[in-house]
Amino acid sequence: MGTRGFHRDLAQLTKTEVSVLEQLAEGLTTREVAEKMGITPRTLGGHLAHIRDKLVVTDRPVMVHAAYMGGQLRRPEVAEAPVEFTKSDHVLWKLLATKPLAEIGQSLHVSRDTARGVIKDLMVRAGARSDVHLVKLGHAYGILGVEVAAR
């Protein structure tokens, strides 16, 4: 799926869909978002399906990045990174923001499980509560931005 959804002419997300993405970007789980919104996880799944269709991406980290890049979500405030991140970390962050997990493993020449482990390690060092929250922090730390959309 990659970066196909990073265009300003995307179908507009509804206020509810924006709220779903904002909460996922904070690191909340599906259950937590549904509870906070007073809806069932199944209804939340319907909102996520509409978001996937509108942004033309499948994975949640890619959805959030696409919404930031397309101007559908307000970018997070700039924040200072808690540690120095390596060039490899930056590459991983950009892959997470633009590729499904299976493609991340292929790009890194590792298994999907190994890719998941590397992402979890980066989450710990970045202070992220989820892979979607990691994308938000990538924007806040200035690691992700306009240059990713051109890839």
Side-chain angles (χ1 to χ4, degrees), residues 99-146:
K99 306 270 185 220
L101 183 59
E103 290 182 31
I104 294 171
Q106 290 172 346
S107 296
L108 297 175
H109 306 290
V110 299
S111 72
R112 186 178 181 151
D113 287 341
T114 300
R116 190 175 287 124
V118 173
I119 291 167
K120 286 186 187 270
D121 175 66
L122 181 57
M123 285 170 47
V124 169
R125 290 184 289 118
R129 294 183 288 274
S130 70
D131 55 355
V132 183
H133 187 225
L134 186 59
V135 168
K136 177 181 179 176
L137 293 176
H139 280 273
Y141 299 157
I143 294 166
L144 298 175
V146 176

Side-chain angles (χ1 to χ4, degrees), residues 45-126:
H47 290 304
L48 289 168
H50 290 133
I51 296 167
R52 276 192 293 277
D53 291 345
K54 289 178 180 182
L55 299 182
V56 195
V57 297
T58 56
D59 286 29
R60 292 176 187 196
V62 182
M63 280 184 208
V64 168
H65 179 67
Y68 283 141
M69 297 305 294
Q72 303 262 13
L73 275 182
R74 190 176 71 238
R75 297 233 186 147
E77 290 189 30
V78 174
E80 188 173 332
V83 298
E84 181 97 15
F85 295 105
T86 67
K87 288 181 183 181
S88 295
D89 292 335
H90 286 233
V91 168
L92 179 60
W93 234 308
K94 290 173 184 178
L95 288 171
L96 180 65
T98 60
K99 306 270 185 220
L101 183 59
E103 290 182 31
I104 294 171
Q106 290 172 346
S107 296
L108 297 175
H109 306 290
V110 299
S111 72
R112 186 178 181 151
D113 287 341
T114 300
R116 190 175 287 124
V118 173
I119 291 167
K120 286 186 187 270
D121 175 66
L122 181 57
M123 285 170 47
V124 169
R125 290 184 289 118

Side-chain angles (χ1 to χ4, degrees), residues 5-76:
F6 301 160
H7 303 289
R8 291 234 175 241
D9 60 350
L10 296 170
Q12 273 303 110
L13 297 176
T14 66
K15 287 181 183 180
T16 300
E17 292 163 348
V18 168
S19 178
V20 166
L21 289 180
E22 287 173 339
Q23 292 178 65
L24 290 172
E26 288 298 322
L28 297 180
T29 66
T30 300
R31 181 178 296 152
E32 291 168 335
V33 173
E35 286 175 7
K36 191 170 182 183
M37 295 181 77
I39 59 177
T40 67
R42 184 175 177 161
T43 300
L44 181 67
H47 290 304
L48 289 168
H50 290 133
I51 296 167
R52 276 192 293 277
D53 291 345
K54 289 178 180 182
L55 299 182
V56 195
V57 297
T58 56
D59 286 29
R60 292 176 187 196
V62 182
M63 280 184 208
V64 168
H65 179 67
Y68 283 141
M69 297 305 294
Q72 303 262 13
L73 275 182
R74 190 176 71 238
R75 297 233 186 147

